[in-house]
Amino acid sequence: MEKETIENLQKMHPHDLSELFLTWDEKKRQYCLTHLPKEQLAEMFSYFEPEIALEFFRELDDDHQFQAQLIDLMEPDDAKDILFEMENQEKRTILGRLKSPDKIYQLLTYEEDESGAHMTNELIRLNPEMDVKEATKKVIDQVNDVETINRLFVVDQTGIFLGTVPLKKLIKTKSPQLIEEIMEDFPHVLDTEPIEETVYKMREYSAFEMPVCNDSQLLLGMIMMDDALDAYHEEATEDFEKLTALPETEEESFSKTALRRLPWLVILLVLSLPIAYITTLFEEVLVAVAVLAFFQPLILDASGDVATQTLAVTLRILNKNPKAALKNGSKEVMTGVLTGFIMGAASFVIAFFLANAMNSAQPLALAVVVGLSLWITVIISPILGVLIPLAIDKLGFDPAVASGPFITTLADLTSLLVFFGLATTLLGGL
């Protein structure tokens, strides 16, 4: 790379530079790391996924000195993500070389799904007794040390959070006037709150920065909207994996992937055995009224689809407002009653004409079995989709483990019992 090329790279946005960095070979990367400013490199590394950033970190040097310098220049929450991926010995070595490790130590104490793990503890704190002129001077002095100055945070002498002052309001206010006179009330989240709840609160208040406090209302840091959305995306991906009975989707060898998925598949296989067993119990009615086999997939698919839809809605409500989950559940059941009735009526008509076309001995009774079975199963399925995740949540477990395959398997079992039970009762005699 020539000098002119390096100058062009220095003008690039860190995200664009990170995309370009991924396309280079090791020789080009090393040259870039040697000639670009460390501040730009630190910002570029924050745009990588932590696992990828760690791979590149390990290319830098053997004594970790250069790595520590870059981590010192990164935002604490971004640095924490990379350190979290390191082996314990490697992590201790890096932390031992940092100029200010305390700000990162604090973040490493939280679980990944807690809000405190995604905050930055670099922010501007103002005291209520400050004059606006003094506060403005403090903002100017500290502007290069913080991620944003859009909203300034007011604390008392002990660090208790009192409120905020928008930068625009501070600039427009003329001295003499105290900060407490222009301070605004502002919501906050606890450091141990789930990140999903923090994202919802930020959306409700249209907040791009959310203060994070502990149980004593001591201001610990703030969460930026971009960091909250990144964390929420990870949590949503994890919930989707659970919803589909996948343990995780990390890049790994096919053998490890197979071993991780195998236990879930075996569990689902065991749960599916009763379906086959139930079918054998009703072999006689299937032989006597062969057209029943034609409608079996219809009943099973409808119940599974409705159960999965209800499960998805219930999980979303549980994340947003757990108290409303049961109330919404009753709405889902009533929706099932109405949609089930319409679907059942349609299937009744179809089954009646099809049974006549196939010269069935009891076309009306057969149509009643199909229509009534579909109606009942579409009512039962949302009940399963509501009660199972609610029960798991009450037990203190993640309701996302009530994944689609488990719900649909239970819905299939119920549907078969209803379908063949009605067939045996109404078609009778065999």
Side-chain angles (χ1 to χ4, degrees), residues 113-130:
D113 61 344
E114 292 180 331
S115 295
H118 305 281
M119 69 180 179
T120 176
N121 37 29
E122 293 182 337
L123 70 166
I124 295 179
R125 294 172 169 85
L126 304 177
N127 296 121
E129 299 83 9
M130 277 184 172

Side-chain angles (χ1 to χ4, degrees), residues 344-406:
S347 62
F348 170 85
V349 174
I350 295 171
F352 181 76
F353 284 105
L354 188 60
N356 276 316
M358 297 178 68
N359 297 317
S360 175
Q362 306 176 62
L364 182 60
L366 176 65
V368 171
V369 168
V370 173
L372 192 57
S373 296
L374 190 59
W375 188 19
I376 293 174
T377 55
V378 173
I379 294 174
I380 294 175
S381 295
I383 296 175
L384 294 174
V386 171
L387 293 183
I388 291 178
L390 281 176
I392 291 177
D393 185 57
K394 288 293 184 182
L395 292 173
F397 299 105
D398 188 345
V401 299
S403 58
F406 289 106

Side-chain angles (χ1 to χ4, degrees), residues 63-179:
D63 64 358
H64 303 293
Q65 185 60 44
F66 190 60
Q67 299 176 34
Q69 291 174 1
L70 291 184
I71 286 181
D72 258 326
L73 293 170
M74 296 175 70
E75 296 296 332
D77 53 325
D78 294 326
K80 180 269 303 178
D81 290 337
I82 297 176
L83 287 166
F84 190 79
E85 297 296 326
M86 292 182 178
E87 301 292 338
N88 288 335
Q89 181 57 47
E90 186 179 15
K91 188 187 303 181
R92 284 194 291 268
T93 302
I94 295 290
L95 288 170
R97 293 176 179 269
L98 298 180
K99 292 181 180 178
S100 51
D102 292 345
K103 61 183 182 181
I104 299 177
Y105 268 126
Q106 181 187 13
L107 303 186
L108 290 171
T109 60
Y110 294 102
E111 298 293 334
E112 274 298 292
D113 61 344
E114 292 180 331
S115 295
H118 305 281
M119 69 180 179
T120 176
N121 37 29
E122 293 182 337
L123 70 166
I124 295 179
R125 294 172 169 85
L126 304 177
N127 296 121
E129 299 83 9
M130 277 184 172
D131 183 75
V132 293
K133 184 176 181 179
E134 180 188 357
T136 303
K137 184 177 184 301
K138 183 174 183 179
V139 171
I140 295 172
D141 291 341
Q142 296 185 4
V143 66
N144 291 326
D145 300 326
V146 297
E147 191 168 351
T148 180
I149 58 172
N150 182 56
R151 186 168 293 277
L152 312 168
F153 302 90
V154 184
V155 296
D156 65 13
Q157 297 299 325
T158 62
I160 299 299
F161 176 65
L162 301 176
T164 67
V165 175
L167 178 64
K168 183 179 180 180
K169 191 172 185 179
L170 176 65
I171 294 174
K172 290 171 63 177
T173 305
K174 295 181 179 180
S175 180
Q177 194 159 5
L178 299 180
I179 288 296

Side-chain angles (χ1 to χ4, degrees), residues 245 261-277 405-406 409 413:
R261 295 183 183 181
L262 187 60
W264 296 94
L265 295 174
V266 170
I267 292 172
L268 290 172
L269 177 63
V270 171
L271 287 175
S272 298
L273 290 177
I275 295 177
Y277 179 68
F406 289 106
T409 299
L413 285 170

Side-chain angles (χ1 to χ4, degrees), residues 278-279 282 285-286 296 415-425:
I278 289 172
T279 304
F282 294 96
V285 73
L286 277 173
Q296 182 177 332
S415 301
L416 284 177
L417 288 171
V418 170
F419 185 44
F420 289 129
L422 284 174
T424 301
T425 303

